[in-house]
Amino acid sequence: MAEFRVTVSTGEACRAGTWDKVSVTIVGTRGESPPLPLDHFGKEFSAGAEEDFKVTLPQDVGQVLLLRVHKAPPASRGLLGHLVPDAWFCRWFQLALPQGAPLLRFPCYQWLEGTRSLVLREGAAKVSWADHHPVFQQQRQEELKARQDMYHWKTYIPGWPHCLNEMTVKDLDLNIKYSTVKNTNFYLQGISAFADLRIKGLLGRKGLWRSLHEMKRIFSFQRTPAAEYVYEHWKEDAFFASQFLNGLNPVLIRRCRYLPKNFPVTDAMVAPVLGPGTNLQAELERGSLFLVDHGILSGIQTNVINGKPQFSAAPMTLLYQRPGSGPLLPLAIQLSQTPGPNSPIFLPSDDKWDWLLAKTWVRNAEFSFHEALTHLLYSHLLPEVFTLATLRQLPHCHPLFKLLIPHTRYTLHINTLARELLIAPRQVVDRSTGLGIGGFSELIQRSMEQLNYSDLCLPEDIRNRGVEDIPGYYYRDDGMQIWSAVERDMSVQDDRELQAWVREIFSEGFLSRQSSGVPSSLETREALVQYVTMVIFTCSAKHAAVSAGQFDFCAWMPNLPPTMQLPPPTSKGQARSEGYIATLPPVNATCDVIIALWLLSKEPGDRRPLGTYPDEHFTEEAPQQSIAAFQSHLAQISRGIQERNQGLALPYTYLDPPHIENSVSI
């Protein structure tokens, strides 16, 4: 007989339960022990505690291979016993073996509720080909089968990436649900904003805003310095152009080497901005012209709000980077993809209301493109694919699982909630945006047909758009630093489970489209490092860059209107202040969207910034050193960003590492 000491670490989020319901079975090279109860006296779980228990093995099991943990349900507590929560969040088990053998740490970091059994392995990361013992191989297969039986794919809308097959967040397993703290804060924030706007009589008002001045009333329930800056500068051409670099949708601007044939801008049109001694051809050759093309919106399905049909445009915007340190400026805007007498090219020299209205149509296109594609498709639907494939194809002991699991935290919860409350019929997108769920669906389907792997890899995306050297592009500068930090501090190995993970992402997320250039297998270490860097960057930094500023840039609604109630102008000289306001969204739709974007911009507590890993899945020294190096690198990046921001009128904070969440969790 041998006596073992078992130490168990319980998470902070523990609920009621007792240790007498927990037993362990020790599996070794010579057999396994019977179930060994940890406690006989009904001692309750204690949140955040590490507790020691002694267990006696009746026989020698040889070298310890696995730890099988079983939790029984609580004893009956009367008629309401089934309502008493008994979930237990176990961080890890540790075995102290006889004769001074090294301690064995078994990472867990999972909830056990009701009757539940888990098989845990000692914490050393192992790829499949390095697991020689048949017990280990069997354990890997059984773990993956259990998770594949628990987490299923479904098609939510044809042509979209596939997603988790659950209807509501109530149906989710505890291991992928919001914590109680995060869930409570989320709903309290929403209730507060909802109540404030209802009290002011705005939320249910279906008519037009009375004036631009009245729109500022929406600021009152929440203010941010960035939102105030937007309000003060939204009409300025330099600020309009700067948002293509550092606003909510900094992914479309590209260098223009030749003018598209369907955008017939002339030298005479742009001479007032370019100044003497130059022309369009000279500036094209110099590389100082940039294009933002919303052509994917052409002919898109539009919505009906408050019984009124809504309108959309597919504009093209030409921008000019002044020599030296001058600002980026708009040169010309065409509101359709078809030039002609009914599609004039608007210029900064036009009447102020004509020019402001044209810029506002571009901003509406930015809203639609950003919310449907940059945010929903690229920063929520694809991270859900990465998350689900990780859970289904990689066992806990796999080094890639250990690396990626922090970057999947709460993603399945927030996306399931979005399918309940945001992108479902008659919910926010359908009630209050110009495209509605029909237009969003069509836009995502179009984008999926055009999607290219290089769009997902920031260094290639920057090169392909030709924006390596445009000044003041902080999304690029900060994003490239984060990308490099992730890439530099990564250590990954190839095996069959990893290849199965890549194949499932390709088939379920990218719908097996070879034209996307997304790999269905990874043949070299360089390709593997790039792919995993892309996944981590997308699930963390990319989401932060395009999500955290939603309220900042949308709170002053004319800067990023969610819908337009009148069609785009077909001539110049007709715009007036009354017509401008009549084109903007109605009051109730404005409030509906602003509340949603306030919630989606603010992490409701229980945060884990990039590089923060309280769940210690890695137990070996080498990966722990890599984590420490990564954290040091992020701290250095943060210091540089904060120093730069001190000199900016509008600081760019969204990619400062402490502001980046590890995962898509809101």
Side-chain angles (χ1 to χ4, degrees):
M1 302 179 77
E3 189 173 81
F4 283 55
R5 189 174 83 251
V6 181
T7 305
V8 190
S9 176
T10 297
E12 296 291 340
C14 160
R15 305 182 192 178
T18 56
W19 285 110
D20 60 322
K21 302 304 175 187
V22 179
S23 62
V24 297
T25 299
I26 299 175
V27 180
T29 53
R30 297 178 188 165
E32 62 181 66
S33 73
L36 306 168
L38 292 186
D39 178 67
H40 298 283
F41 305 105
K43 182 180 179 182
E44 291 189 350
F45 299 143
S46 179
E50 294 180 12
E51 306 195 48
D52 287 328
F53 304 94
K54 289 183 179 179
V55 298
T56 302
L57 270 64
Q59 78 272 7
D60 180 15
V61 298
Q63 180 184 348
V64 175
L65 300 176
L66 305 172
L67 196 64
R68 189 176 296 125
V69 181
H70 179 73
K71 180 190 168 298
S76 175
R77 303 183 185 181
L79 293 175
L80 299 179
H82 67 287
L83 298 177
V84 178
D86 74 319
W88 167 46
F89 185 79
C90 175
R91 298 180 68 242
W92 46 259
F93 278 77
Q94 186 169 277
L95 288 187
L97 307 179
Q99 288 114 22
L103 295 174
L104 297 178
R105 176 70 66 91
F106 295 79
C108 181
Y109 302 104
Q110 296 179 70
W111 284 99
L112 292 88
E113 184 174 29
T115 302
R116 180 84 188 274
S117 295
L118 287 176
V119 178
L120 304 179
R121 294 181 51 149
E122 190 273 326
K126 289 286 181 68
V127 291
S128 58
W129 52 261
D131 253 349
H132 304 298
H133 201 287
V135 169
F136 287 145
Q137 290 291 344
Q138 181 180 354
Q139 181 271 330
R140 298 178 88 102
Q141 294 168 15
E142 290 176 351
E143 180 187 343
L144 290 179
K145 183 179 185 307
R147 286 214 242 116
Q148 289 165 9
D149 289 342
M150 176 176 288
Y151 304 116
H152 296 273
W153 295 99
K154 75 174 179 183
T155 299
Y156 180 64
I157 292 176
W160 287 32
H162 298 161
C163 64
L164 178 67
N165 187 17
E166 296 290 0
M167 294 297 294
T168 72
V169 293
K170 293 179 181 178
D171 303 323
L172 299 181
D173 173 63
L174 267 181
N175 287 300
I176 58 175
K177 271 187 176 180
Y178 268 5
S179 66
T180 302
V181 168
K182 200 173 190 80
N183 199 55
T184 301
N185 288 347
F186 178 84
Y187 284 104
L188 287 176
Q189 287 174 193
I191 290 168
S192 172
F194 183 90
D196 186 88
L197 294 176
R198 181 169 286 282
I199 288 170
K200 288 181 169 59
L202 298 177
L203 198 57
R205 210 174 99 195
K206 294 184 177 181
L208 301 176
W209 291 94
R210 298 186 182 100
S211 66
L212 288 174
H213 178 74
E214 187 194 28
M215 292 177 196
K216 205 183 178 191
R217 291 182 66 196
I218 209 165
F219 270 12
S220 58
F221 82 88
Q222 189 55 240
R223 291 172 181 263
T224 69
E228 292 284 357
Y229 185 93
V230 171
Y231 170 74
E232 292 167 3
H233 297 275
W234 70 285
K235 290 183 180 179
E236 298 170 10
D237 284 0
F239 180 66
F240 168 82
S242 73
Q243 291 184 83
F244 295 120
L245 299 175
N246 302 311
L248 206 51
N249 193 45
V251 299
L252 261 185
I253 185 170
R254 60 177 57 247
R255 195 177 300 274
C256 184
R257 295 295 185 184
Y258 59 90
L259 281 176
K261 291 181 179 179
N262 61 336
F263 194 14
V265 180
T266 66
D267 286 327
M269 291 178 181
V270 298
V273 177
L274 293 185
T278 188
N279 56 38
L280 279 172
Q281 187 57 40
E283 297 301 330
L284 287 167
E285 292 173 2
R286 195 167 67 85
S288 62
L289 299 186
F290 296 85
L291 182 69
V292 176
D293 189 350
H294 292 94
I296 196 171
L297 289 164
S298 187
I300 205 77
Q301 178 180 339
T302 53
N303 201 8
V304 174
I305 298 176
N306 299 337
K308 292 181 62 176
Q310 305 296 296
F311 298 89
S312 179
M316 290 187 282
T317 305
L318 188 65
L319 302 142
Y320 170 55
Q321 176 62 55
R322 286 190 181 279
S325 58
L328 185 70
L329 293 171
L331 282 178
I333 295 171
Q334 181 177 287
L335 296 180
S336 80
Q337 298 288 306
T338 306
N342 292 326
S343 184
I345 294 175
F346 292 91
L347 307 168
S349 55
D350 289 340
D351 173 82
K352 69 174 185 178
W353 287 108
D354 281 341
W355 181 235
L356 182 62
L357 182 60
K359 289 192 294 182
T360 304
W361 272 104
V362 173
R363 300 300 299 155
N364 167 250
E366 280 281 272
F367 177 93
S368 297
F369 187 101
H370 167 268
E371 292 299 345
L373 303 181
T374 309
H375 185 220
L376 177 56
L377 173 57
Y378 282 87
S379 302
H380 276 269
L381 302 185
L382 292 184
E384 179 170 4
V385 171
F386 304 147
T387 297
L388 200 45
T390 298
L391 292 174
R392 286 172 46 86
Q393 298 298 339
L394 300 174
H396 274 81
C397 65
H398 198 289
L400 189 57
F401 180 92
K402 293 172 181 281
L403 180 68
L404 292 180
I405 198 64
H407 304 290
T408 68
R409 186 174 185 250
Y410 297 146
T411 299
L412 297 178
H413 182 110
I414 190 59
N415 280 13
T416 302
L417 191 64
R419 287 188 283 273
E420 283 186 73
L421 303 180
L422 195 64
I423 56 174
R426 296 178 297 281
Q427 297 299 330
V428 176
V429 167
D430 223 23
R431 285 196 307 260
S432 300
T433 69
L435 302 189
I437 191 61
F440 266 51
S441 297
E442 188 179 352
L443 201 50
I444 288 173
Q445 289 159 355
R446 288 183 183 185
S447 185
M448 286 291 289
E449 294 284 351
Q450 301 174 12
L451 185 149
N452 193 278
Y453 183 48
S454 63
D455 300 336
L456 305 176
C457 299
L458 184 65
E460 291 187 29
D461 176 51
I462 295 297
R463 282 195 301 272
N464 291 345
R465 292 191 285 119
V467 288
E468 303 97 318
D469 57 358
I470 185 171
Y473 195 4
Y474 308 123
Y475 165 75
R476 173 203 61 206
D477 298 342
D478 299 353
M480 287 295 290
Q481 289 190 85
I482 300 294
W483 179 282
S484 297
V486 173
E487 187 176 54
R488 187 177 75 175
D489 297 313
M490 184 187 304
S491 177
V492 287
Q493 289 179 289
D494 186 18
D495 77 330
R496 58 180 170 79
E497 289 166 341
L498 184 146
Q499 295 293 348
W501 173 74
V502 173
R503 281 196 304 275
E504 184 153 283
I505 290 171
F506 178 69
S507 61
E508 302 290 347
F510 298 95
L511 310 181
S512 299
R513 291 197 174 101
Q514 298 286 347
S515 60
S516 68
V518 174
S520 57
S521 64
L522 298 171
E523 306 301 331
T524 66
R525 186 183 182 282
E526 291 73 22
L528 174 56
V529 168
Q530 181 189 45
Y531 191 90
V532 176
T533 301
M534 177 274 293
V535 169
I536 293 174
F537 184 85
T538 301
C539 293
S540 56
K542 179 68 175 290
H543 178 256
V546 304
S547 178
Q550 288 179 99
F551 181 81
D552 291 341
F553 289 99
C554 296
W556 177 244
M557 178 270 288
N559 185 61
L560 214 59
T563 187
M564 300 290 257
Q565 298 201 87
L566 295 176
T570 56
S571 62
K572 297 185 182 184
Q574 305 301 312
R576 300 290 184 272
S577 61
E578 299 81 7
Y580 181 82
I581 291 171
T583 304
L584 294 175
V587 177
N588 61 335
T590 302
C591 295
D592 203 18
V593 170
I594 292 296
I595 290 173
L597 297 185
W598 164 243
L599 286 173
L600 295 176
S601 300
K602 186 174 176 61
E603 283 285 348
D606 190 12
R607 292 196 61 231
R608 290 195 182 169
L610 185 62
T612 305
Y613 307 117
D615 296 352
E616 297 176 345
H617 290 278
F618 286 107
T619 60
E620 310 98 305
E621 185 176 350
Q624 289 176 348
Q625 289 176 345
S626 293
I627 288 171
F630 180 50
Q631 292 168 335
S632 176
H633 198 176
L634 292 178
Q636 181 182 353
I637 292 169
S638 179
R639 287 191 294 271
I641 289 173
Q642 291 177 26
E643 182 177 344
R644 176 204 66 205
N645 282 345
Q646 290 178 3
L648 299 180
L650 179 60
Y652 187 77
T653 61
Y654 306 117
L655 288 177
D656 187 0
H659 296 171
I660 300 171
E661 194 71 10
N662 260 334
S663 60
V664 178
S665 60
I666 188 62

